[in-house]
Amino acid sequence: MMFRSIPVVLLLAIVGCHAEVTQSKSKVCANVFCGAGRECAVTEKGEPTCLCIEHCKPHKRTVCGNNGKTYRNHCELHRDACLTGLKIQVAHDGHCKEKKVDKAAVSPVVCYVADRNELRSRVIDWLQTEVVPDGWFTKGSNFSEILHKYFKNYDNGDAQLDSTELLKFIQHNDSAVELRSYADEESNRLLRSLCVDALIELSDENADWKLSFDEFLNCLKPGFNPPEKKCSLEDELYEDGAETQVECNRCVCACGNWVCTAMTCDEKTPAVEPADPNEEMTEEEWTRHVAELNKHQETVEKMKSSTKEV
């Protein structure tokens, strides 16, 4: 009889412990206001802290953000703003309307900082669902161990992940990491590949376009806050999303790099930024101008190399 009562006692202890934790959180967070997209949590020291909302309630009241993206509800919009660190506001209720773009002003498909951060956030959310805490008689698995398992599964044997291997890892849970910033499927697939490259660049310390396990871990570590990179042009710095145009080709700043379309311009297409208003840029001048857009990237790589040598 005494042994039969043991499970009941344990259950009561667990329920009591959970109620105590809930009451503790409610008490600690009672006077804490975290703002839209954030929620109060209790640290190991018992102190309140504001974190991005882990899960929004599933109610549907579609809104369009000023970034052109459609969100299921206000909470999802503010959560995305918190996760990406961008200032996203509600433009209007309902779905975003697709903008008609003039053929001469078509922008290249690029991975912006917001796209890169969204992909990274979705991968982290997916991996955290696989974390298993230690049980009484069984050992669980932490975040690093889960990453190491996937690293070994997709590594071809050189102890590094290149862009192809990293893309295969991300496609392992295709539905969880799907990006839909564009109307057509082909552009969205290209976007994901570009964002994989952006993730590699994010933590590729030796600039070899491959990730060792430590670099892979740093890239997806939940507490890591990706640095902001700007694009350089004629001794000026431009924010992510900035645009410039060379004849009929448009260039945009994405994750610290200038990316340009490669359209063939006919004689009827006016030059937007010629050196002389009465002259069109030659092919050589255009090539030199685009090279100037990415001059800062070469400087960064040289600085990395010199740092490694020292």
Side-chain angles (χ1 to χ4, degrees):
M1 185 70 179
M2 180 180 67
F3 290 106
R4 291 181 182 178
S5 64
I6 290 178
V8 178
V9 174
L10 289 175
L11 179 61
L12 290 174
I14 293 171
V15 172
C17 180
H18 182 268
E20 187 176 324
V21 171
T22 304
Q23 184 178 3
S24 174
K25 179 180 178 181
S26 177
K27 185 177 180 181
V28 173
C29 294
N31 299 316
V32 178
F33 177 72
C34 292
R38 297 174 177 271
E39 61 185 353
C40 181
V42 181
T43 66
E44 294 179 355
K45 296 181 179 179
E47 299 173 348
T49 183
C50 289
L51 302 175
C52 297
I53 291 176
E54 189 172 351
H55 298 292
C56 289
K57 293 181 180 179
H59 71 274
K60 188 172 183 180
R61 186 183 173 186
T62 308
V63 292
C64 174
N66 61 354
N67 58 349
K69 290 180 60 176
T70 300
Y71 295 89
R72 187 179 180 87
N73 50 49
H74 285 76
C75 176
E76 294 286 359
L77 181 145
H78 293 305
R79 178 178 181 270
D80 190 27
C82 177
L83 291 171
T84 60
L86 300 176
K87 187 176 182 181
I88 305 174
Q89 298 175 330
V90 176
H92 58 78
D93 290 337
H95 290 268
C96 296
K97 297 177 181 177
E98 188 176 345
K99 296 180 181 179
K100 293 183 179 180
V101 183
D102 184 21
K103 184 179 179 181
V106 171
S107 295
V109 176
V110 296
C111 176
Y112 292 108
V113 168
D115 296 318
R116 180 201 68 190
N117 290 350
E118 181 179 355
L119 177 61
R120 179 176 175 271
S121 174
R122 290 188 179 192
V123 172
I124 291 173
D125 287 346
W126 145 42
L127 292 171
Q128 286 182 324
T129 62
E130 298 189 12
V131 173
V132 179
D134 290 338
W136 285 356
F137 304 106
T138 58
K139 186 180 183 303
S141 56
N142 59 37
F143 193 83
S144 297
E145 290 170 339
I146 291 171
L147 268 184
H148 192 258
K149 177 191 71 175
Y150 280 117
F151 185 86
K152 288 199 302 182
N153 286 347
Y154 290 95
D155 169 32
N156 64 1
D158 63 353
Q160 296 181 105
L161 293 183
D162 59 20
S163 58
T164 302
E165 292 164 341
L166 185 60
L167 180 59
K168 287 180 180 177
F169 155 68
I170 288 176
Q171 289 174 333
H172 175 83
N173 197 345
D174 207 28
S175 59
V177 297
E178 192 173 25
L179 294 178
R180 291 203 165 275
S181 297
Y182 294 91
D184 62 294
E185 189 61 34
E186 185 178 348
S187 294
N188 286 318
R189 283 197 296 268
L190 176 58
L191 171 65
R192 184 164 55 183
S193 296
L194 293 171
C195 286
V196 165
D197 289 339
L199 284 176
I200 289 180
E201 188 178 15
L202 189 62
S203 57
D204 183 19
E205 295 181 0
N206 58 355
D208 63 351
W209 285 101
K210 293 181 179 181
L211 297 183
S212 65
F213 175 69
D214 287 340
E215 291 173 332
F216 181 57
L217 180 60
N218 289 336
C219 176
L220 297 175
K221 191 179 297 181
F224 173 58
N225 188 24
E228 292 186 11
K229 291 180 64 179
K230 297 183 180 181
C231 294
S232 173
L233 175 62
E234 296 176 353
D235 298 324
E236 290 190 28
L237 295 177
Y238 293 84
E239 299 286 343
D240 197 75
E243 298 184 358
T244 188
Q245 195 161 328
V246 183
E247 295 188 352
C248 65
N249 285 285
R250 175 167 291 183
C251 303
V252 296
C253 174
C255 293
N257 300 298
W258 286 109
V259 183
C260 304
T261 55
M263 297 174 63
T264 302
C265 306
D266 54 43
E267 294 180 359
K268 296 179 181 179
T269 307
V272 179
E273 293 181 356
D276 187 328
N278 298 319
E279 292 184 7
E280 290 187 353
M281 295 180 72
T282 64
E283 184 177 349
E284 183 180 349
E285 289 172 332
W286 182 85
T287 303
R288 190 163 57 246
H289 187 82
V290 174
E292 172 66 22
L293 293 177
N294 284 306
K295 184 176 66 175
H296 77 293
Q297 283 302 112
E298 297 176 8
T299 305
V300 170
E301 296 304 323
K302 288 180 180 177
M303 289 177 64
K304 282 184 177 180
S305 299
S306 61
T307 302
K308 291 292 180 183
E309 290 174 4
V310 172

